[in-house]
Amino acid sequence: MTRLEEISLVARCVGFDDRRAFARLVDEYHQPLLRFLTGMCGDEILAADLAQETFIKAWRGLKSWMGSGRFSTWLFAIGLNEFRSHTRSSHTEISTDEITEAGAEPLRGIDARMDLNAALRYLSETQRAVVLLFYYRDLPIKKIASITNMPENTVKSHLQRARTVLKQILQHP
Amino acid sequence: MKHNDNTDTRLRDLFKSDLAAGPRDPDFTRKVMNRLPDRKPIGWIRKLMTVVYIIAAIIATTLFVYITKGINAETLRDPMMLLTYFGMLATFFTTIALSRSRA
């Protein structure tokens, strides 16, 4: 979907309360958002709930999307905030910062066939968001910084640390 | 740098292949659409505004046609007249659009 199409669809939603236009946006972006959130929380059912909430919040806030960036970037930022709100309220996140800071030690003995979701659990919430946006969505650092609300250098540093951890998982079965 | 590039390529391939087989829900869009807030009913002031705008647009169009003696080849050759005509049409459609928009 081109940026012009996105702007046109959002204009129809805001100006005419056109729900078919919004349905097209949902159709277009729900799959990547769902996968991103599944990567973030490791739970498909929870990811689906969070994705629904994300779209409903997006609908309510459509007027605030100025069309300066891509709709998907704005949507992913809402999705990430939704995930962060959920983890804050449920206190389910286990901090793995200490593990990743310590280096390869905790990664010994990890099964070679461990899937990506399991590997992502060794990253902190922020590192997970950064690697998913960088490797899965192919977003540039600048956009990732805008979504995660962090300076570009911080994003780079998170990416570097996450890359090291993931590399160790891949190389040390 | 090359070292990082290799790792990046491997990780990118892994992410793409693994996440491509992620969850699929054919009813997802329908579920979201069902959860959207209800449409706001159009208030009587907005209805009245629409009627007034439509009447005003009809009067303006009638006057325009009466003054310019209709739209003919001569009228269309005059750029200012043409601009006025399109301006009126744009105003008319914008008015309709605004009257139908959300409060």
Side-chain angles (χ1 to χ4, degrees):
Chain A
M1 184 176 284
T2 64
R3 196 166 157 201
L4 200 62
E5 280 175 297
E6 285 178 354
I7 293 171
S8 153
L9 289 171
V10 172
R12 279 167 56 189
C13 295
V14 174
F16 302 101
D17 196 11
D18 187 342
R19 283 151 196 251
R20 272 188 298 177
F22 190 68
R24 273 197 61 198
L25 288 167
V26 178
D27 263 341
E28 181 75 19
Y29 293 117
H30 84 266
Q31 207 61 43
L33 180 70
L34 209 51
R35 286 169 189 168
F36 168 70
L37 290 170
T38 306
M40 285 303 294
C41 64
D43 178 348
E44 292 181 8
I45 295 166
L46 177 60
D49 286 346
L50 292 174
Q52 280 191 34
E53 284 303 324
T54 302
F55 277 109
I56 287 159
K57 286 210 169 141
W59 167 262
R60 290 195 174 122
L62 271 177
K63 281 180 185 170
S64 67
W65 182 63
M66 306 303 285
S68 52
R70 292 299 302 255
F71 179 79
S72 56
T73 309
W74 181 71
L75 188 71
F76 273 66
I78 299 174
L80 184 59
N81 283 337
E82 199 56 37
F83 169 75
R84 283 173 173 163
S85 306
H86 172 80
T87 46
R88 264 198 305 272
S89 61
S90 63
H91 302 287
T92 51
E93 218 228 346
I94 301 159
S95 174
T96 52
D97 273 342
E98 297 81 8
I99 299 170
T100 55
E101 304 277 359
E105 194 62 30
L107 303 178
R108 278 181 200 154
I110 289 174
D111 195 296
R113 289 161 293 178
M114 96 190 303
D115 65 3
L116 194 59
N117 276 334
L120 285 170
R121 269 183 241 136
Y122 281 85
L123 303 177
S124 70
E125 178 193 302
T126 312
Q127 288 171 349
R128 244 178 290 157
V130 169
V131 292
L132 282 164
L133 293 169
F134 187 78
Y135 290 117
Y136 171 58
R137 291 296 294 162
D138 286 331
L139 292 182
I141 300 289
K142 197 177 172 185
K143 279 195 175 175
I144 298 174
S146 143
I147 291 175
T148 54
N149 206 17
M150 291 189 300
E152 286 184 35
N153 282 336
T154 313
V155 172
K156 282 180 192 167
S157 136
H158 278 295
L159 187 61
Q160 187 54 45
R161 268 189 268 173
R163 188 189 279 128
T164 308
V165 174
L166 289 174
K167 196 178 155 193
Q168 285 164 354
I169 294 172
L170 291 169
Q171 287 183 344
H172 294 93
Chain B
M1 196 66 193
K2 194 181 173 187
H3 188 64
N4 260 355
D5 285 347
N6 285 340
T7 310
D8 280 348
T9 310
R10 280 185 66 194
L11 285 173
R12 190 161 279 126
D13 290 345
L14 180 70
F15 271 78
K16 300 261 178 190
S17 61
D18 205 284
L19 289 173
R24 286 185 185 279
D25 182 358
D27 291 331
F28 186 88
T29 304
R30 187 184 51 78
K31 285 176 192 166
V32 171
M33 299 315 289
N34 286 342
R35 288 189 56 196
L36 289 186
D38 291 337
R39 288 172 199 269
K40 286 180 182 168
I42 300 171
W44 67 270
I45 295 176
R46 193 164 279 272
K47 282 180 189 166
L48 187 67
M49 270 172 64
T50 308
V51 172
V52 170
Y53 276 132
I54 290 171
I55 291 170
I58 291 169
I59 291 170
T61 311
T62 312
L63 280 173
F64 171 77
V65 172
Y66 179 76
I67 292 165
T68 60
K69 310 290 182 201
I71 301 160
N72 49 45
E74 204 172 310
T75 316
L76 292 174
R77 266 199 294 273
D78 183 355
M80 283 310 288
M81 201 62 84
L82 204 60
L83 194 67
T84 312
Y85 179 64
F86 280 112
M88 283 181 65
L89 278 179
T91 310
F92 177 72
F93 285 115
T94 309
T95 304
I96 297 290
L98 285 173
S99 66
R100 289 182 59 193
S101 70
R102 284 189 287 178

